[in-house]
Amino acid sequence: MRHRVDTLKLGRSSAHRRAMLANMVSSLFYSGRIETTLVKAKAARRMAERMITLGKQGTLHSRRLAAARMHDEGAVKKLFDEIAPAYAGRQGGYTRILKLGQRRGDAAETCLLMLVEADAAAAEKAAEAQA
């Protein structure tokens, strides 16, 4: 029985899965959105949300934990310097999945995994402060 087993294996070995998810999350942090299959997006979303939570802590320990999981110093730097401070007032839900339909070749469900626009929330707060 699969009670309380929550790892999506994605048909890959554990090392391949970890590397793939690290690359996907790094790409998400660089570009703000990635197009992938729905199952991969759900797995990458979990990792991305955890990394942003580490970024919000801002400690050296959390930076090292993020670097150990993502393997990309540039993405970790962008996460801690730009992305995490934008979500300082948000208690989770940093990503959004938009379904795009089925892929033509193998009919896999595709989607767009994107960061929720924190800038829009900041702009609304600034507009309220001026009004």
Side-chain angles (χ1 to χ4, degrees):
M1 288 182 267
R2 297 191 73 242
H3 297 297
R4 299 181 60 96
V5 176
D6 58 355
T7 301
L8 295 172
K9 293 190 177 182
L10 305 173
R12 288 158 172 80
S13 66
S14 60
H16 186 183
R17 186 172 52 250
R18 277 194 304 270
M20 180 191 68
L21 292 175
N23 288 333
M24 288 176 71
V25 171
S26 296
S27 296
L28 176 66
F29 290 158
Y30 280 129
S31 65
R33 64 175 60 198
I34 55 173
E35 184 177 339
T36 184
T37 62
L38 185 61
V39 179
K40 286 182 192 175
K42 287 181 178 179
R45 167 189 251 181
R46 292 182 64 202
M47 184 174 177
E49 301 255 345
R50 289 176 181 172
M51 294 300 107
I52 293 173
T53 302
L54 284 175
K56 285 173 58 176
Q57 293 173 3
T59 63
L60 178 61
H61 180 64
S62 60
R63 185 178 289 263
R64 286 178 175 167
L65 286 174
R69 286 170 179 79
M70 288 181 31
H71 312 292
D72 186 352
E73 284 298 322
V76 172
K77 181 168 177 48
K78 184 168 183 172
L79 167 66
F80 277 78
D81 294 344
E82 299 173 21
I83 297 171
Y87 293 111
R90 193 174 181 99
Q91 294 294 316
Y94 313 114
T95 58
R96 173 183 301 139
I97 294 177
L98 296 176
K99 293 182 180 178
L100 299 176
Q102 294 182 332
R103 191 163 51 198
R104 183 170 180 170
D106 60 355
E109 183 85 24
T110 60
C111 67
L112 206 60
L113 176 62
M114 59 176 55
L115 293 173
V116 173
E117 297 298 329
D119 299 340
E124 290 176 4
K125 288 182 183 178
E128 289 177 12
Q130 290 179 351

